[in-house]
Amino acid sequence: METITSDIAIIGAGGAGLRAAIALAQADPRLRIALISKVYPMRSHTCAAEGGAAGVIKGDDSLEQHFNDTVGGGDWLCDQDAVDYLVQEAPKELLQLEHWGCPWSRELDGSVAVRPFGGMKIQRTWFAADKTGFHLLHTLFQTSLQFSSIERYDEYYATDLLVDEGRCCGLTAIEMRSGQMRQFRARAVIIAGGGAGRMFPFTTNGAIKTGDGMALAYRAGVPLKDMEFVQYHPTGLPSTGTLLTEACRGEGGVLLNKHGRRFLQDYGMGPETPIGKPVLKTMELGPRDRLSQAFWHEQKKGNMVTTQWGDAMLLDMRHLGEQKINERLPLVRDMSISYMGVDPVRDPVPVRPVVHYMMGGIHTDIRAATPLAGLYAAGECACVSINGANRLGSNSLTELLVFGRRAALSAMEYLASDPGRGNSQAIDAQAEAARARVRALFQKSGGESIAGLRKEMMHTLEQHAGIYRSGEGLSEACATLAALRRRYANIELHDKTNVYNTDLLQALELGSMLDCAEAVAVSALERRESRGAHQRLDFTERDDARYLKHSLASFQGAAAPRVDYSDVVITKSQPGVRDYSGGHA
Amino acid sequence: MSERTVELEVLRYNPETDGEPHFQRYSVTCREEWVVLDALNHIKETVDPTLSYRWSCHMAVCGSCGMMIDGEPKLACKTFLRDYPGVIRVEPLAHFPVERDLVTVIDDFIAKLTRVKPYLIPKEEKPVAAGEYRQTPAQLKRYKQFTLCINCMLCYAACPEYGIIPKFLGPAAISLAHRWNQDSRDGGRAQRQEEIAATEGVWECSFTGACSEVCPEHVDPAAALQQVKIKSTVDWYLAHTMPWLNK
Ligand SMILES: Cc1cc2nc3c(=O)[nH]c(=O)nc-3n(C[C@H](O)[C@H](O)[C@H](O)COP(=O)(O)OP(=O)(O)OC[C@H]3O[C@@H](n4cnc5c(N)ncnc54)[C@H](O)[C@@H]3O)c2cc1C
Ligand code: SF4
Ligand code: FES
C-alpha cells in the first residue's frame, strides 16, 4: 500500500480544516501538512452558511455580553471556559479573515458592518451579504494556496484512524480517482469532518455531511459528547429543505400563522414588536430551539398553512422592500423564487423547521484535544463545547476559525513533546485490515440496499428524535437503529469497480451515519429532562440536579453505546431562566 | 403539483469496463419542482446505483454539479426539468477529461487558480491587532461581483478558446485574479500580471461572451477579461515604449 508521510494530517478541508492548515503553515514552514478531503475544499459545506459570524467589534458591545448570550442560549450546557476563549478570540479571527481579504459588508465609513441575529442581545454578526460562509471558505481556500507546505489530497475518503500504543499515528483513505487505499502516516491528526445532518430526511445539510469525522473518532474509542442536541432551524423551504437565513428575520422579516398572527408572542417571546423594527432577543429574534418548538405547537393546533410538502408557517419580508431585499438578502430571494416559486418581495414565503446543526460531536477539551493522544478535532464535528444545548446562529463560523486554529497550535505543542511515529509494522497491519474491510464490501451479497437502509434510518430519526421526543419513541428508535446496524453487515454493492465508486462511498457514509444516529438516539433516551434543543414530552422540565452534565457516548462495537456523564464547566454564570420576552432587562 | 415522466439520456463511461463512452436511457417519474439533480438522485437510489456524478449543496453554491444539459453547461441543481419538454441529454462538462460518467478531471483549473495568486498581497502591511483595513461600500463594489465565482467551471465548458487552446488560463481564473487586483487592500497586481499577460494568459480570449452567458452566479467573467486585457495592453505598451517606467 502506498504510504504518504507527513507531520500532521488533517481530515476535512472546510472552514475548520483550512484554518488549521494555514495556522500550521504559518507557524512553522518546515512542517509537512497533509490536507485530506473527500471533496475539493471549496465544495465543503461551509460554503452554504449564509447569515454571518459573531464577534465583538463595536463600541456598544462587550465580551461579557457575547459570553452571556452564548451561555444562556445554550441553556447552560456550554463549558464556560471554552466560551470565554471563543468570545475573546472571535474578533481577532474575524479581523484576520479581513486581512486575508474576506469581502465583509461595510459601513459607509469603511468599517466592518454587523447585523442582528437570533438570541444575540447586541448586533455583533459580521456578514458578507447573505453568502458569509461561501466567502469565508473561498478566502481561506485561496489564502491556503500560497503555502506550499500544505499538500492537498482532494477527493480522498478517510476510512479509519491508525492508533498505536494509545496514540493516533495516521489514517487510511481511499483515493477516489483510482479506488486505491492509501496510508497516511502522521505524528498528529486533526479531524475537521463537519456535521451529520444527513441522518435526517429533511435538512439544510449538503450530501457530504454524513458524520464521517465523528464516526472515525468514535470507533477509535473517543466518546461522542452531547449527541442528543440536534438543532432545527425554524426557516427552511418546505420543498427542498434549503435554508432561508436567520438574517431574514434579523433584517425585519416576521413569522405568521395561517391567521396572519405573529404567533411567537403566544410562546413566551412577546409582546409583539412593531413590524419592520426587530428587537433583539425577542419575538422573531428569539433562539432557534424556541422558535422551532413554537412551530410544533401551532401545527398541533392546526394553525399552519398547508402546502403540498406539508404544514408551513409564513415568513413575511414584503415590508423590507425590493431594494433592501436585493442588497441584503439576494440569495434568499433567488432561492425562494427558484425552489418555491415565491418572490419574497411580493408574497410571504412558506417555511418550516429543518434539521440544521449538530451541537454534539467528538469530545474535546478546551485545547481541541481529544482523550486519544495525538488526535484533535474542530468545527462542527467537534464538541468543545461552546454551543451547549442550543447553538446561537453565527457562533459556529466563529467556532471553526477559533478552534481550527487552536487545534493546530495544540497539535504543534504535542509534536514538540516528540511523540514518535509508533510501531511501523503494527500500523501497517492496521492499514491492511482497513483495506480488507473495504474490499470485503465488494464480496458481500446479502441483498440489503444502501438506499433502503438509509431511508429507514432517516425515517426513524425524524419520527422519534425530532423537535419533541418521548421515552417510548426513543426506545423504539434505539431498537430500530440497532437492527439497522446489524442489517448493514449484509449490504450489497452494485458497483464493483474502482474509479470514483460512489456506491461504495455511500455505503461507507451510511456506516458512519448509522453509528452517529445510534449515539443520538441512545443519548437522547438517557437524558430524562428537557433542555435547549432536546425536548422530552415525558420529562418537560430542565433538571439541573441530575443533568447539568455532558453526555458521553462510547462505542461498544455491535452493541449499543455506553453513556457516561461529565461535569459542565461553570465559571461565572449560574444556570438561570432563559428569558426571551420583550420585557427582559 | 403534477407528476410526469421524463426521459433522460445520460452519458456513461467507466474506464475499467467501457472501451467507449455510451448513452444510457432512464425514465423517471418526477415532480413538477424537480431539478435535473433530483432526477439523477432518484435514478441512483432506485434504478441504477452505479451512476456517478458530483453534488453536495443542492443550492447552487458548492459548484460541484456542473454538467452539459442538452448541450449547454448548467448546474444540475438549478436546472428545472419542467423547462425541457423532450428527452434530456446529460453529459459531463465539455473540454474536461472524463474520469467516470459525469465526473470530470479538474486538475487543470486548480493548477491555474493557484498560478494567478488568488490571495491578498497587501498594499500596506498592518498587524491584525491594528484593526480592519478600511474599505468603503463603493470600494467593495468594485470587486464584489468577481468574488462570487463558485468554481463550477461552466464558463470553461462554454469557452471556445479553452476548447482549442487548453493552456489558456480561462474565464474563472482570470476573473479571480481580477477580483484581487481590484481590491483596495491589495497591491499584488504586478505579480499576478506576469501570469496573466503571458502568451496563454489573456490574449487567447476573443470575446464571444459565452462565459458570461452561462455563469450561474452572474460573475460576468467576460467583463473581467476585457478589463484585464485593457490593463495588460497598457502595461505592454508602457513596457515596450517606456521601459524605464516599469522599473
Ligand atoms: C445552510 C447552512 C447555513 C449556515 N449558516 C451559518 C451561519 O450563518 N453562521 C454560522 O456561524 N454557521 C452557519 N452554519 C453552520 C456552519 O456553516 C457549519 O457548522 C460549518 O461551516 C461547518 O464547518 P466545518 O469546517 O466543520 O465542516 P465542513 O465545511 O462541512 O467541512 C467538512 C470537511 O470534511 C471533509 N470530510 C468529511 N468526511 C470526510 C472523509 N470521510 N474523508 C475525508 N474528508 C472528509 C469534507 O470533504 C469537508 O472538506 C450553516 C450551516 C448550513 C448547513
Ligand atoms: S465565473 Fe461563473 S461560470 Fe465560471 S467558474 Fe465562476 S461561477 Fe462558474
Ligand atoms: S450541488 Fe452544489 S452547486 Fe449544485
Side-chain angles (χ1 to χ4, degrees), chain A residues 8 23 37 54 70 102 149 204 267 374-375 510 547 553:
Chain A
I8 299 187
S37 172
T70 303
C102 187
S149 61
T204 61
Y267 298 91
L375 184 68
L510 175 63
Y547 290 108

Side-chain angles (χ1 to χ4, degrees), chain B residues 148-155 171-172 175 211 214-217 219 221:
Chain B
L148 296 176
C149 172
I150 61 172
N151 302 355
C152 66
M153 260 87 69
L154 301 193
C155 51
S175 299
C211 50
V214 300
C215 175
E217 305 299 320
V219 172

Side-chain angles (χ1 to χ4, degrees), chain A residues 243-269:
Chain A
L243 178 76
L244 296 191
T245 168
E246 197 158 290
C248 297
R249 286 168 283 130
E251 298 294 346
V254 296
L255 292 172
L256 308 174
N257 66 15
K258 74 172 178 199
H259 308 297
R261 181 172 171 79
R262 289 170 69 195
F263 60 91
L264 294 177
Q265 61 188 300
D266 305 328
Y267 298 91
M269 285 174 275

